[in-house]
Amino acid sequence: KGAKGRAPPSNIPQTEDILNSIIPPREFDEDGQKWVQFVSPTPATRLDVINLQENLDKKLLQRRARETGICPIREELYSQAFDEVIRQVTVNCAERGLLLLRVRDEIRMTLAAYRTLYESSVAFGMRKALHAEQNKVVMQETIRDLEKEKENLERQVAELNSKCEAIERREAERRAADERKHAEDVAFLRKTHQTLTSNLQTIINPGKK
């Protein structure tokens, strides 16, 4: 019996499937006909790699991508360049292409997680800032109310001090008037006592002068 070769497992993706997962086919209409454009399975040469780098630099300048910080344009162009690198590697070695595809997807998931975390932190910061601003407005209103209450209390204290001073003046005047009247009464009674005593002495001893 002749030796039979083992058939490749059906669950191993073919190169075309991997390429289509990297860059999905693009459907478009032209001249009234519907076309489907698939990614090219042509192996890349050294010149293709050089052209890819030059085109990347050119598009970065044309679209004015920022060199540092968060830049969606730069992220998009580098993602396209990375997809092309994965395509070139996959054409030569499908397993390496699959590994790079996993790396690409993991990077995208990580970036998406960071983006979500950043957006949530920004939203949280905005909520805290809004809450602080609302509290600031409330505190300013409270301060104004307390200042008005303080002014009212100071006015009441001034009025009460004026009333107390007026009462003290009236009381001092009343005491002074009572003391004067008391002194006049005492002087009158003493004078009357002296007059009566003198008259009594005259009656008792009429011959004495």
Side-chain angles (χ1 to χ4, degrees), residues 29-47:
D29 296 329
E30 185 177 343
D31 298 333
Q33 294 183 354
K34 189 173 184 179
W35 298 83
V36 180
Q37 184 180 20
F38 294 89
V39 63
S40 174
T42 304
T45 63
R46 183 173 179 274
L47 181 60

Side-chain angles (χ1 to χ4, degrees), residues 28-162:
F28 62 95
D29 296 329
E30 185 177 343
D31 298 333
Q33 294 183 354
K34 189 173 184 179
W35 298 83
V36 180
Q37 184 180 20
F38 294 89
V39 63
S40 174
T42 304
T45 63
R46 183 173 179 274
L47 181 60
D48 293 334
V49 178
I50 296 175
N51 290 333
L52 175 63
Q53 182 176 353
E54 292 178 352
N55 289 331
L56 175 61
D57 295 335
K58 182 179 179 181
K59 288 184 178 181
L60 288 172
L61 291 175
Q62 288 178 347
R63 300 185 61 179
R64 298 180 181 180
R66 288 183 293 182
E67 296 181 359
T68 58
I70 299 176
C71 179
I73 297 176
R74 191 179 74 247
E75 179 184 356
E76 176 187 355
L77 294 177
Y78 272 98
S79 178
Q80 293 176 0
F82 192 39
D83 288 343
E84 174 59 20
V85 171
I86 296 176
R87 185 200 71 81
Q88 296 174 4
V89 173
T90 303
V91 171
N92 294 327
C93 180
E95 289 75 12
R96 290 178 184 174
L98 282 174
L99 182 58
L100 286 177
L101 186 62
R102 288 182 57 187
V103 173
R104 184 200 70 176
D105 293 341
E106 180 63 27
I107 291 175
R108 288 182 177 177
M109 287 172 48
T110 303
L111 288 177
Y114 280 125
R115 185 177 290 107
T116 302
L117 181 61
Y118 170 76
E119 292 174 353
S120 62
S121 63
V122 170
F124 177 77
M126 291 296 294
R127 288 195 300 270
K128 293 294 289 184
L130 181 61
H131 183 67
E133 187 65 24
Q134 293 175 347
N135 288 341
K136 179 181 177 182
V137 173
V138 173
M139 290 299 296
Q140 289 176 345
E141 293 179 354
T142 303
I143 291 173
R144 286 194 294 268
D145 293 339
L146 291 175
E147 288 178 347
K148 291 180 180 179
E149 184 177 358
K150 173 176 170 289
E151 293 176 356
N152 293 331
L153 291 176
E154 288 177 347
R155 185 168 55 254
Q156 292 178 11
V157 169
E159 293 175 355
L160 291 175
N161 286 333
S162 299

